[in-house]
């Protein structure tokens, strides 16, 4: 490579996608990552890779979507239960072309992205934690914790929720954080005794004290998401020992030694006040730019859309457009996630009553069951990556 590379900060799914998208435009890329090359990434986190995201990834590296979908899992059955009684069940015919989504652990998605980056000629610098950023009209200089200084014309910052680049630029996050928390558990399948390949959502599951629970398959296992009640304490539900106590009530006995990862999450809805600096040298993408609760699969999917848009903006000199359009998408997604949360963790009694009435009517009015099925994910769950984008 001879030209000055575009620098990407952070080798999460969004930074890796940005690097690929830049290489697809034949721009040289240097990717700075704080962690060592042989790091272990935690848990499954984002499972759901949407069809539109697959299309973006395939444009970055032809064949990548097929690699990912042939590894991931697609279920055709979705079920919803209310207090243990089924209120919705639908099995869709398998699609003829690319599936509407694929489900795999984020560590696996990142593995595919990282391999693709290697093949595309992305230059990686591991153990390169960015601690300072200085932006002028003529360029950017980044300081790393090991004393390294990197100068370039343009930076795509994908350094996650605690973005040092965003902090260095003094760009605040704006939004809210909700009360309470949920517990996310990855569980390995029992070989030969896999649970049915379906996504199941339980309102007020009787096996776990009336808390709502979702089970989502991924390759090799499934993720269970438990919505805790307002007065719950994390140590009662969110430790591995606690999970061993409540998990049988949700998926039956025999999984205590198959727990892969447990974590508790709070509900943040935040969007950066700006997605670029006044000189339009740095572009914020992914969780460096926005934080959404996981329901609705907006985080990684919209982050990859940011990455595609950022690479285009760098290549075409349209950073201001990128910043406006992707921030609008972030605000839209934040709003949609808020609607989902109001349904999932109703603060008003009327919402609970409406859900109860819909569950009672579902056997005779299928639209009530359908509403209970769709509402936990919020509006436009079907297209989280593209909301508000023009790229
Ligand atoms: C339980 C859970 C479930 C989720 N489910 C979904 C889902 O189904 N679908 C979905 O779309 N999203 C989902 N998400 C969200 C998704 O995990 C995130 O949106 C995604 O990880 C964000 O990717 P990112 O690349 O922006 O940031 P990260 O994954 O956080 O990556 C940031 C990278 O930057 C590096 N870094 C940090 N600081 C520095 C620094 N100073 N210098 C250099 N490098 C640095 C980090 O080491 C890391 O490699 C879920 C999240 C959780 C927690």
């Amino acid at each position: 490579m001879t030209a000055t590379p575009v620098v990407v900060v952070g080798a999460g799914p969004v930074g890796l996608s940005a690097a690929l998208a830049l290489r697809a435009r034949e721009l040289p890329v240097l990717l700075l990552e704080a962690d060592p090359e042989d790091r272990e990434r935690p848990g499954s986190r984002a499972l759901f890779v949407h069809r539109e995201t697959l299309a973006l990834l395939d444009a970055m590296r032809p064949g990548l979507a097929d690699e990912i979908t042939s590894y991931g899992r697609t279920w055709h059955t979705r079920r919803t239960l209310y207090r243990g009684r089924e209120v919705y069940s639908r099995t869709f015919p398998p699609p003829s072309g690319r599936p509407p989504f694929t489900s795999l652990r984020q560590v696996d998605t990142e593995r595919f992205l990282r391999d693709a980056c290697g093949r595309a000629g992305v230059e990686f610098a591991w153990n390169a934690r960015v601690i300072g950023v200085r932006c002028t009209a003529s360029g950017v200089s980044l300081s790393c914790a090991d004393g390294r200084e990197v100068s370039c014309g343009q930076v795509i910052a994908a350094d996650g929720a605690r973005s040092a680049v965003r902090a260095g630029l003094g760009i605040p996050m704006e939004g809210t954080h909700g009360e309470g928390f949920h517990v996310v558990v990855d569980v390995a399948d029992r070989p030969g005794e896999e649970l049915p390949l379906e996504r199941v959502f339980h309102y007020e599951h009787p096996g776990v004290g009336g808390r709502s629970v979702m089970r989502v398959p991924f390759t090799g296992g499934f993720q269970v998401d438990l919505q805790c009640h307002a007065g719950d304490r994390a140590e009662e539900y969110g430790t591995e020992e606690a999970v061993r106590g409540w998990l049988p009530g949700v998926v039956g006995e025999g999984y205590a030694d198959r727990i892969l990862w447990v974590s508790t999450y709070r509900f943040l809805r935040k969007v950066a006040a700006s997605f670029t600096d006044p000189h339009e040298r740095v572009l914020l993408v992914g969780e460096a730019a926005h934080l959404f609760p996981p329901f609705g699969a907006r985080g990684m999917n919209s982050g990859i859309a940011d990455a595609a848009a950022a690479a285009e903006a760098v290549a075409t000199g349209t950073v201001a457009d990128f910043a406006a359009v992707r921030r609008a998408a972030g605000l839209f997604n934040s709003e949609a996630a808020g609607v989902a949360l109001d349904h999932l963790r109703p603060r008003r009694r009327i919402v609970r009553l409406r859900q109860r009435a819909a569950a009672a009517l579902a056997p005779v009015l299928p639209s009530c069951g359908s509403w209970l099925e769709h509402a936990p994910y919020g509006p436009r769950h079907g297209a989280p990556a593209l909301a508000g984008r023009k790229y």
Side-chain angles (χ1 to χ4, degrees), residues 9-10 12-14 33-35 39 41 45-48 106 128-130 158-159 164 184 265 286-287 294 297 299-301:
V9 183
V14 176
E33 166 55 50
D35 284 343
R39 66 171 174 179
R41 291 276 274 166
R45 306 178 77 199
L47 296 179
F48 189 95
Q106 187 171 316
R129 176 173 295 281
V130 172
D159 51 343
V184 181
Y265 287 96
E287 289 204 337
M300 186 177 74
N301 283 291

PDB file of all heavy atoms in Angstrom, residues 9-10 12-14 33-35 39 41 45-48 106 128-130 158-159 164 184 265 286-287 294 297 299-301, ligand 1:
ATOM      1  N   VAL A   9     -10.698   2.434  14.025  1.00  0.00           N
ATOM      2  CA  VAL A   9     -10.366   2.126  15.424  1.00  0.00           C
ATOM      3  C   VAL A   9     -11.402   1.135  15.949  1.00  0.00           C
ATOM      4  O   VAL A   9     -12.599   1.446  15.979  1.00  0.00           O
ATOM      5  CB  VAL A   9     -10.351   3.396  16.306  1.00  0.00           C
ATOM      6  CG1 VAL A   9      -9.919   3.045  17.738  1.00  0.00           C
ATOM      7  CG2 VAL A   9      -9.435   4.452  15.717  1.00  0.00           C
ATOM      8  N   GLY A  10     -10.935  -0.057  16.355  1.00  0.00           N
ATOM      9  CA  GLY A  10     -11.837  -1.058  16.938  1.00  0.00           C
ATOM     10  C   GLY A  10     -12.152  -2.188  15.978  1.00  0.00           C
ATOM     11  O   GLY A  10     -12.662  -1.955  14.886  1.00  0.00           O
ATOM     12  N   GLY A  12     -14.323  -4.720  16.454  1.00  0.00           N
ATOM     13  CA  GLY A  12     -15.602  -5.388  16.691  1.00  0.00           C
ATOM     14  C   GLY A  12     -16.274  -5.620  15.338  1.00  0.00           C
ATOM     15  O   GLY A  12     -15.678  -5.344  14.281  1.00  0.00           O
ATOM     16  N   PRO A  13     -17.511  -6.082  15.331  1.00  0.00           N
ATOM     17  CA  PRO A  13     -18.160  -6.367  14.048  1.00  0.00           C
ATOM     18  C   PRO A  13     -18.280  -5.135  13.156  1.00  0.00           C
ATOM     19  O   PRO A  13     -18.193  -5.236  11.931  1.00  0.00           O
ATOM     20  CB  PRO A  13     -19.545  -6.889  14.458  1.00  0.00           C
ATOM     21  CG  PRO A  13     -19.750  -6.430  15.864  1.00  0.00           C
ATOM     22  CD  PRO A  13     -18.390  -6.360  16.478  1.00  0.00           C
ATOM     23  N   VAL A  14     -18.426  -3.966  13.787  1.00  0.00           N
ATOM     24  CA  VAL A  14     -18.642  -2.755  12.990  1.00  0.00           C
ATOM     25  C   VAL A  14     -17.316  -2.264  12.400  1.00  0.00           C
ATOM     26  O   VAL A  14     -17.238  -1.927  11.213  1.00  0.00           O
ATOM     27  CB  VAL A  14     -19.345  -1.675  13.840  1.00  0.00           C
ATOM     28  CG1 VAL A  14     -19.494  -0.385  13.063  1.00  0.00           C
ATOM     29  CG2 VAL A  14     -20.715  -2.185  14.298  1.00  0.00           C
ATOM     30  N   GLU A  33      -6.552  -1.933  17.096  1.00  0.00           N
ATOM     31  CA  GLU A  33      -7.390  -2.636  18.072  1.00  0.00           C
ATOM     32  C   GLU A  33      -6.652  -2.699  19.409  1.00  0.00           C
ATOM     33  O   GLU A  33      -5.483  -3.098  19.459  1.00  0.00           O
ATOM     34  CB  GLU A  33      -7.733  -4.040  17.558  1.00  0.00           C
ATOM     35  CG  GLU A  33      -8.316  -4.994  18.581  1.00  0.00           C
ATOM     36  CD  GLU A  33      -9.568  -4.486  19.314  1.00  0.00           C
ATOM     37  OE1 GLU A  33     -10.511  -4.023  18.661  1.00  0.00           O
ATOM     38  OE2 GLU A  33      -9.576  -4.556  20.569  1.00  0.00           O
ATOM     39  N   ALA A  34      -7.379  -2.368  20.486  1.00  0.00           N
ATOM     40  CA  ALA A  34      -6.766  -2.332  21.816  1.00  0.00           C
ATOM     41  C   ALA A  34      -6.352  -3.723  22.306  1.00  0.00           C
ATOM     42  O   ALA A  34      -5.333  -3.873  22.977  1.00  0.00           O
ATOM     43  CB  ALA A  34      -7.762  -1.719  22.805  1.00  0.00           C
ATOM     44  N   ASP A  35      -7.136  -4.724  21.955  1.00  0.00           N
ATOM     45  CA  ASP A  35      -6.882  -6.069  22.491  1.00  0.00           C
ATOM     46  C   ASP A  35      -5.757  -6.762  21.742  1.00  0.00           C
ATOM     47  O   ASP A  35      -5.434  -6.395  20.610  1.00  0.00           O
ATOM     48  CB  ASP A  35      -8.157  -6.926  22.352  1.00  0.00           C
ATOM     49  CG  ASP A  35      -9.207  -6.567  23.386  1.00  0.00           C
ATOM     50  OD1 ASP A  35      -8.856  -5.907  24.380  1.00  0.00           O
ATOM     51  OD2 ASP A  35     -10.373  -6.951  23.179  1.00  0.00           O
ATOM     52  N   ARG A  39      -7.168 -12.578  21.510  1.00  0.00           N
ATOM     53  CA  ARG A  39      -8.173 -12.320  22.553  1.00  0.00           C
ATOM     54  C   ARG A  39      -9.356 -13.280  22.444  1.00  0.00           C
ATOM     55  O   ARG A  39      -9.644 -13.813  21.369  1.00  0.00           O
ATOM     56  CB  ARG A  39      -8.699 -10.901  22.399  1.00  0.00           C
ATOM     57  CG  ARG A  39      -9.483 -10.720  21.104  1.00  0.00           C
ATOM     58  CD  ARG A  39     -10.156  -9.409  21.061  1.00  0.00           C
ATOM     59  NE  ARG A  39     -10.804  -9.122  19.790  1.00  0.00           N
ATOM     60  CZ  ARG A  39     -11.475  -8.018  19.566  1.00  0.00           C
ATOM     61  NH1 ARG A  39     -11.547  -7.090  20.483  1.00  0.00           N
ATOM     62  NH2 ARG A  39     -12.050  -7.812  18.416  1.00  0.00           N
ATOM     63  N   ARG A  41     -13.409 -13.150  22.837  1.00  0.00           N
ATOM     64  CA  ARG A  41     -14.536 -12.207  22.939  1.00  0.00           C
ATOM     65  C   ARG A  41     -15.665 -12.840  23.740  1.00  0.00           C
ATOM     66  O   ARG A  41     -15.908 -14.041  23.648  1.00  0.00           O
ATOM     67  CB  ARG A  41     -15.029 -11.843  21.537  1.00  0.00           C
ATOM     68  CG  ARG A  41     -14.031 -10.998  20.777  1.00  0.00           C
ATOM     69  CD  ARG A  41     -14.160  -9.531  21.109  1.00  0.00           C
ATOM     70  NE  ARG A  41     -15.174  -8.889  20.269  1.00  0.00           N
ATOM     71  CZ  ARG A  41     -15.673  -7.689  20.525  1.00  0.00           C
ATOM     72  NH1 ARG A  41     -15.294  -7.023  21.598  1.00  0.00           N
ATOM     73  NH2 ARG A  41     -16.575  -7.162  19.715  1.00  0.00           N
ATOM     74  N   ARG A  45     -23.892 -12.279  22.400  1.00  0.00           N
ATOM     75  CA  ARG A  45     -24.325 -10.910  22.108  1.00  0.00           C
ATOM     76  C   ARG A  45     -25.255 -10.874  20.894  1.00  0.00           C
ATOM     77  O   ARG A  45     -26.314 -11.456  20.926  1.00  0.00           O
ATOM     78  CB  ARG A  45     -23.113  -9.998  21.960  1.00  0.00           C
ATOM     79  CG  ARG A  45     -22.200 -10.076  23.185  1.00  0.00           C
ATOM     80  CD  ARG A  45     -20.984  -9.226  23.060  1.00  0.00           C
ATOM     81  NE  ARG A  45     -21.263  -7.827  23.278  1.00  0.00           N
ATOM     82  CZ  ARG A  45     -20.493  -6.833  22.899  1.00  0.00           C
ATOM     83  NH1 ARG A  45     -19.381  -7.077  22.259  1.00  0.00           N
ATOM     84  NH2 ARG A  45     -20.800  -5.594  23.159  1.00  0.00           N
ATOM     85  N   ALA A  46     -24.847 -10.206  19.815  1.00  0.00           N
ATOM     86  CA  ALA A  46     -25.746 -10.103  18.661  1.00  0.00           C
ATOM     87  C   ALA A  46     -25.812 -11.435  17.923  1.00  0.00           C
ATOM     88  O   ALA A  46     -24.794 -11.944  17.471  1.00  0.00           O
ATOM     89  CB  ALA A  46     -25.247  -9.013  17.726  1.00  0.00           C
ATOM     90  N   LEU A  47     -27.019 -11.964  17.801  1.00  0.00           N
ATOM     91  CA  LEU A  47     -27.200 -13.234  17.098  1.00  0.00           C
ATOM     92  C   LEU A  47     -27.714 -13.017  15.688  1.00  0.00           C
ATOM     93  O   LEU A  47     -27.331 -13.692  14.750  1.00  0.00           O
ATOM     94  CB  LEU A  47     -28.264 -14.083  17.817  1.00  0.00           C
ATOM     95  CG  LEU A  47     -27.971 -14.561  19.228  1.00  0.00           C
ATOM     96  CD1 LEU A  47     -29.157 -15.351  19.746  1.00  0.00           C
ATOM     97  CD2 LEU A  47     -26.730 -15.409  19.245  1.00  0.00           C
ATOM     98  N   PHE A  48     -28.638 -12.098  15.584  1.00  0.00           N
ATOM     99  CA  PHE A  48     -29.513 -12.005  14.438  1.00  0.00           C
ATOM    100  C   PHE A  48     -28.861 -11.115  13.376  1.00  0.00           C
ATOM    101  O   PHE A  48     -28.663  -9.929  13.602  1.00  0.00           O
ATOM    102  CB  PHE A  48     -30.806 -11.387  14.971  1.00  0.00           C
ATOM    103  CG  PHE A  48     -31.954 -11.363  14.044  1.00  0.00           C
ATOM    104  CD1 PHE A  48     -32.897 -12.384  14.077  1.00  0.00           C
ATOM    105  CD2 PHE A  48     -32.147 -10.307  13.167  1.00  0.00           C
ATOM    106  CE1 PHE A  48     -34.006 -12.339  13.241  1.00  0.00           C
ATOM    107  CE2 PHE A  48     -33.253 -10.264  12.334  1.00  0.00           C
ATOM    108  CZ  PHE A  48     -34.180 -11.289  12.377  1.00  0.00           C
ATOM    109  N   GLN A 106     -22.148 -13.776  17.982  1.00  0.00           N
ATOM    110  CA  GLN A 106     -21.370 -12.650  17.454  1.00  0.00           C
ATOM    111  C   GLN A 106     -19.897 -13.034  17.287  1.00  0.00           C
ATOM    112  O   GLN A 106     -19.244 -12.589  16.354  1.00  0.00           O
ATOM    113  CB  GLN A 106     -21.521 -11.439  18.381  1.00  0.00           C
ATOM    114  CG  GLN A 106     -20.894 -10.174  17.824  1.00  0.00           C
ATOM    115  CD  GLN A 106     -21.245  -8.944  18.643  1.00  0.00           C
ATOM    116  OE1 GLN A 106     -22.393  -8.768  19.035  1.00  0.00           O
ATOM    117  NE2 GLN A 106     -20.271  -8.111  18.909  1.00  0.00           N
ATOM    118  N   ALA A 128      -3.159  -1.927  20.315  1.00  0.00           N
ATOM    119  CA  ALA A 128      -3.037  -0.505  19.963  1.00  0.00           C
ATOM    120  C   ALA A 128      -4.244   0.234  20.520  1.00  0.00           C
ATOM    121  O   ALA A 128      -5.230   0.473  19.810  1.00  0.00           O
ATOM    122  CB  ALA A 128      -2.948  -0.343  18.446  1.00  0.00           C
ATOM    123  N   ARG A 129      -4.181   0.541  21.803  1.00  0.00           N
ATOM    124  CA  ARG A 129      -5.316   1.237  22.444  1.00  0.00           C
ATOM    125  C   ARG A 129      -5.194   2.737  22.209  1.00  0.00           C
ATOM    126  O   ARG A 129      -4.216   3.362  22.623  1.00  0.00           O
ATOM    127  CB  ARG A 129      -5.343   0.939  23.949  1.00  0.00           C
ATOM    128  CG  ARG A 129      -6.454   1.715  24.686  1.00  0.00           C
ATOM    129  CD  ARG A 129      -6.597   1.291  26.126  1.00  0.00           C
ATOM    130  NE  ARG A 129      -7.029  -0.087  26.250  1.00  0.00           N
ATOM    131  CZ  ARG A 129      -8.285  -0.504  26.107  1.00  0.00           C
ATOM    132  NH1 ARG A 129      -9.244   0.363  25.836  1.00  0.00           N
ATOM    133  NH2 ARG A 129      -8.582  -1.777  26.218  1.00  0.00           N
ATOM    134  N   VAL A 130      -6.173   3.301  21.527  1.00  0.00           N
ATOM    135  CA  VAL A 130      -6.166   4.746  21.268  1.00  0.00           C
ATOM    136  C   VAL A 130      -6.551   5.472  22.557  1.00  0.00           C
ATOM    137  O   VAL A 130      -7.554   5.133  23.196  1.00  0.00           O
ATOM    138  CB  VAL A 130      -7.146   5.099  20.126  1.00  0.00           C
ATOM    139  CG1 VAL A 130      -7.287   6.606  19.976  1.00  0.00           C
ATOM    140  CG2 VAL A 130      -6.680   4.460  18.825  1.00  0.00           C
ATOM    141  N   ALA A 158     -14.825   2.946  15.555  1.00  0.00           N
ATOM    142  CA  ALA A 158     -15.759   1.847  15.878  1.00  0.00           C
ATOM    143  C   ALA A 158     -15.294   1.221  17.184  1.00  0.00           C
ATOM    144  O   ALA A 158     -15.236   0.009  17.316  1.00  0.00           O
ATOM    145  CB  ALA A 158     -15.761   0.821  14.743  1.00  0.00           C
ATOM    146  N   ASP A 159     -14.934   2.103  18.150  1.00  0.00           N
ATOM    147  CA  ASP A 159     -14.327   1.587  19.382  1.00  0.00           C
ATOM    148  C   ASP A 159     -15.354   1.407  20.495  1.00  0.00           C
ATOM    149  O   ASP A 159     -15.014   1.448  21.680  1.00  0.00           O
ATOM    150  CB  ASP A 159     -13.121   2.437  19.818  1.00  0.00           C
ATOM    151  CG  ASP A 159     -13.408   3.927  19.884  1.00  0.00           C
ATOM    152  OD1 ASP A 159     -14.413   4.362  19.295  1.00  0.00           O
ATOM    153  OD2 ASP A 159     -12.635   4.657  20.526  1.00  0.00           O
ATOM    154  N   ALA A 164     -13.128   5.882  23.158  1.00  0.00           N
ATOM    155  CA  ALA A 164     -12.131   6.887  23.553  1.00  0.00           C
ATOM    156  C   ALA A 164     -12.051   7.986  22.499  1.00  0.00           C
ATOM    157  O   ALA A 164     -11.760   9.139  22.814  1.00  0.00           O
ATOM    158  CB  ALA A 164     -10.766   6.225  23.731  1.00  0.00           C
ATOM    159  N   VAL A 184     -28.931 -12.347  30.153  1.00  0.00           N
ATOM    160  CA  VAL A 184     -28.752 -13.052  28.886  1.00  0.00           C
ATOM    161  C   VAL A 184     -27.855 -14.256  29.138  1.00  0.00           C
ATOM    162  O   VAL A 184     -26.771 -14.123  29.725  1.00  0.00           O
ATOM    163  CB  VAL A 184     -28.110 -12.125  27.828  1.00  0.00           C
ATOM    164  CG1 VAL A 184     -27.949 -12.865  26.511  1.00  0.00           C
ATOM    165  CG2 VAL A 184     -28.966 -10.895  27.631  1.00  0.00           C
ATOM    166  N   TYR A 265     -27.792  -7.032  31.609  1.00  0.00           N
ATOM    167  CA  TYR A 265     -27.754  -5.802  30.811  1.00  0.00           C
ATOM    168  C   TYR A 265     -28.801  -4.819  31.274  1.00  0.00           C
ATOM    169  O   TYR A 265     -29.897  -5.205  31.655  1.00  0.00           O
ATOM    170  CB  TYR A 265     -27.981  -6.117  29.324  1.00  0.00           C
ATOM    171  CG  TYR A 265     -26.781  -6.763  28.732  1.00  0.00           C
ATOM    172  CD1 TYR A 265     -26.700  -8.136  28.637  1.00  0.00           C
ATOM    173  CD2 TYR A 265     -25.692  -6.009  28.342  1.00  0.00           C
ATOM    174  CE1 TYR A 265     -25.569  -8.754  28.147  1.00  0.00           C
ATOM    175  CE2 TYR A 265     -24.557  -6.599  27.853  1.00  0.00           C
ATOM    176  CZ  TYR A 265     -24.502  -7.974  27.755  1.00  0.00           C
ATOM    177  OH  TYR A 265     -23.376  -8.571  27.279  1.00  0.00           O
ATOM    178  N   GLY A 286     -21.387   2.404  14.770  1.00  0.00           N
ATOM    179  CA  GLY A 286     -21.677   1.329  15.728  1.00  0.00           C
ATOM    180  C   GLY A 286     -21.914   1.876  17.119  1.00  0.00           C
ATOM    181  O   GLY A 286     -22.477   2.962  17.304  1.00  0.00           O
ATOM    182  N   GLU A 287     -21.490   1.114  18.134  1.00  0.00           N
ATOM    183  CA  GLU A 287     -21.788   1.521  19.508  1.00  0.00           C
ATOM    184  C   GLU A 287     -20.982   2.740  19.951  1.00  0.00           C
ATOM    185  O   GLU A 287     -21.280   3.322  20.991  1.00  0.00           O
ATOM    186  CB  GLU A 287     -21.599   0.338  20.466  1.00  0.00           C
ATOM    187  CG  GLU A 287     -22.712  -0.671  20.260  1.00  0.00           C
ATOM    188  CD  GLU A 287     -23.003  -1.572  21.438  1.00  0.00           C
ATOM    189  OE1 GLU A 287     -22.115  -1.769  22.284  1.00  0.00           O
ATOM    190  OE2 GLU A 287     -24.134  -2.092  21.498  1.00  0.00           O
ATOM    191  N   PRO A 294     -31.061  -4.697  23.288  1.00  0.00           N
ATOM    192  CA  PRO A 294     -30.912  -5.729  22.257  1.00  0.00           C
ATOM    193  C   PRO A 294     -32.193  -6.149  21.544  1.00  0.00           C
ATOM    194  O   PRO A 294     -32.134  -6.560  20.402  1.00  0.00           O
ATOM    195  CB  PRO A 294     -30.333  -6.932  23.006  1.00  0.00           C
ATOM    196  CG  PRO A 294     -29.959  -6.474  24.348  1.00  0.00           C
ATOM    197  CD  PRO A 294     -30.620  -5.157  24.603  1.00  0.00           C
ATOM    198  N   ALA A 297     -32.836  -6.359  17.582  1.00  0.00           N
ATOM    199  CA  ALA A 297     -31.602  -6.615  16.823  1.00  0.00           C
ATOM    200  C   ALA A 297     -31.114  -5.392  16.050  1.00  0.00           C
ATOM    201  O   ALA A 297     -30.708  -5.484  14.901  1.00  0.00           O
ATOM    202  CB  ALA A 297     -31.813  -7.802  15.876  1.00  0.00           C
ATOM    203  N   GLY A 299     -28.643  -3.180  17.180  1.00  0.00           N
ATOM    204  CA  GLY A 299     -27.276  -2.731  17.468  1.00  0.00           C
ATOM    205  C   GLY A 299     -26.295  -3.053  16.358  1.00  0.00           C
ATOM    206  O   GLY A 299     -25.812  -2.163  15.658  1.00  0.00           O
ATOM    207  N   MET A 300     -25.997  -4.334  16.203  1.00  0.00           N
ATOM    208  CA  MET A 300     -24.983  -4.714  15.225  1.00  0.00           C
ATOM    209  C   MET A 300     -25.468  -4.465  13.800  1.00  0.00           C
ATOM    210  O   MET A 300     -24.703  -4.011  12.944  1.00  0.00           O
ATOM    211  CB  MET A 300     -24.603  -6.183  15.400  1.00  0.00           C
ATOM    212  CG  MET A 300     -23.456  -6.601  14.525  1.00  0.00           C
ATOM    213  SD  MET A 300     -22.965  -8.295  14.810  1.00  0.00           S
ATOM    214  CE  MET A 300     -24.287  -9.189  14.020  1.00  0.00           C
ATOM    215  N   ASN A 301     -26.758  -4.747  13.558  1.00  0.00           N
ATOM    216  CA  ASN A 301     -27.266  -4.560  12.188  1.00  0.00           C
ATOM    217  C   ASN A 301     -27.152  -3.105  11.749  1.00  0.00           C
ATOM    218  O   ASN A 301     -26.668  -2.817  10.657  1.00  0.00           O
ATOM    219  CB  ASN A 301     -28.723  -5.038  12.108  1.00  0.00           C
ATOM    220  CG  ASN A 301     -28.810  -6.553  12.043  1.00  0.00           C
ATOM    221  OD1 ASN A 301     -28.429  -7.149  11.053  1.00  0.00           O
ATOM    222  ND2 ASN A 301     -29.274  -7.178  13.103  1.00  0.00           N
TER     223      ASN A 301
HETATM  224  C1  LIG B   1     -26.940  -9.408  25.048  1.00  0.00           C
HETATM  225  C2  LIG B   1     -26.804  -8.683  23.748  1.00  0.00           C
HETATM  226  C3  LIG B   1     -27.490  -9.123  22.661  1.00  0.00           C
HETATM  227  C4  LIG B   1     -27.410  -8.421  21.496  1.00  0.00           C
HETATM  228  N1  LIG B   1     -28.121  -8.870  20.426  1.00  0.00           N
HETATM  229  C5  LIG B   1     -28.059  -8.221  19.270  1.00  0.00           C
HETATM  230  C6  LIG B   1     -28.712  -8.730  18.114  1.00  0.00           C
HETATM  231  O1  LIG B   1     -29.356  -9.793  18.149  1.00  0.00           O
HETATM  232  N2  LIG B   1     -28.589  -8.043  16.958  1.00  0.00           N
HETATM  233  C7  LIG B   1     -27.859  -6.877  16.887  1.00  0.00           C
HETATM  234  O2  LIG B   1     -27.808  -6.268  15.813  1.00  0.00           O
HETATM  235  N3  LIG B   1     -27.181  -6.390  17.950  1.00  0.00           N
HETATM  236  C8  LIG B   1     -27.248  -7.025  19.135  1.00  0.00           C
HETATM  237  N4  LIG B   1     -26.523  -6.575  20.210  1.00  0.00           N
HETATM  238  C9  LIG B   1     -25.641  -5.402  20.085  1.00  0.00           C
HETATM  239  C10 LIG B   1     -24.264  -5.760  19.531  1.00  0.00           C
HETATM  240  O3  LIG B   1     -23.606  -6.717  20.331  1.00  0.00           O
HETATM  241  C11 LIG B   1     -23.428  -4.506  19.463  1.00  0.00           C
HETATM  242  O4  LIG B   1     -24.190  -3.555  18.758  1.00  0.00           O
HETATM  243  C12 LIG B   1     -22.109  -4.722  18.749  1.00  0.00           C
HETATM  244  O5  LIG B   1     -21.186  -5.497  19.490  1.00  0.00           O
HETATM  245  C13 LIG B   1     -21.452  -3.373  18.528  1.00  0.00           C
HETATM  246  O6  LIG B   1     -20.353  -3.567  17.738  1.00  0.00           O
HETATM  247  P1  LIG B   1     -19.207  -2.474  17.676  1.00  0.00           P
HETATM  248  O7  LIG B   1     -18.208  -3.031  16.696  1.00  0.00           O
HETATM  249  O8  LIG B   1     -19.786  -1.146  17.458  1.00  0.00           O
HETATM  250  O9  LIG B   1     -18.602  -2.434  19.160  1.00  0.00           O
HETATM  251  P2  LIG B   1     -17.864  -3.553  19.988  1.00  0.00           P
HETATM  252  O10 LIG B   1     -18.380  -4.903  19.639  1.00  0.00           O
HETATM  253  O11 LIG B   1     -17.920  -3.129  21.396  1.00  0.00           O
HETATM  254  O12 LIG B   1     -16.360  -3.477  19.468  1.00  0.00           O
HETATM  255  C14 LIG B   1     -15.512  -2.384  19.821  1.00  0.00           C
HETATM  256  C15 LIG B   1     -14.076  -2.798  19.546  1.00  0.00           C
HETATM  257  O13 LIG B   1     -13.235  -1.681  19.785  1.00  0.00           O
HETATM  258  C16 LIG B   1     -12.142  -2.071  20.619  1.00  0.00           C
HETATM  259  N5  LIG B   1     -11.746  -0.886  21.377  1.00  0.00           N
HETATM  260  C17 LIG B   1     -12.392  -0.308  22.421  1.00  0.00           C
HETATM  261  N6  LIG B   1     -11.747   0.789  22.829  1.00  0.00           N
HETATM  262  C18 LIG B   1     -10.662   0.930  22.026  1.00  0.00           C
HETATM  263  C19 LIG B   1      -9.613   1.888  21.945  1.00  0.00           C
HETATM  264  N7  LIG B   1      -9.560   2.934  22.783  1.00  0.00           N
HETATM  265  N8  LIG B   1      -8.657   1.727  21.006  1.00  0.00           N
HETATM  266  C20 LIG B   1      -8.706   0.672  20.135  1.00  0.00           C
HETATM  267  N9  LIG B   1      -9.679  -0.267  20.160  1.00  0.00           N
HETATM  268  C21 LIG B   1     -10.650  -0.126  21.099  1.00  0.00           C
HETATM  269  C22 LIG B   1     -12.718  -3.180  21.488  1.00  0.00           C
HETATM  270  O14 LIG B   1     -11.711  -3.996  22.049  1.00  0.00           O
HETATM  271  C23 LIG B   1     -13.586  -3.908  20.474  1.00  0.00           C
HETATM  272  O15 LIG B   1     -12.839  -4.835  19.739  1.00  0.00           O
HETATM  273  C24 LIG B   1     -26.584  -7.261  21.394  1.00  0.00           C
HETATM  274  C25 LIG B   1     -25.858  -6.835  22.486  1.00  0.00           C
HETATM  275  C26 LIG B   1     -25.956  -7.521  23.644  1.00  0.00           C
HETATM  276  C27 LIG B   1     -25.166  -7.024  24.819  1.00  0.00           C
END
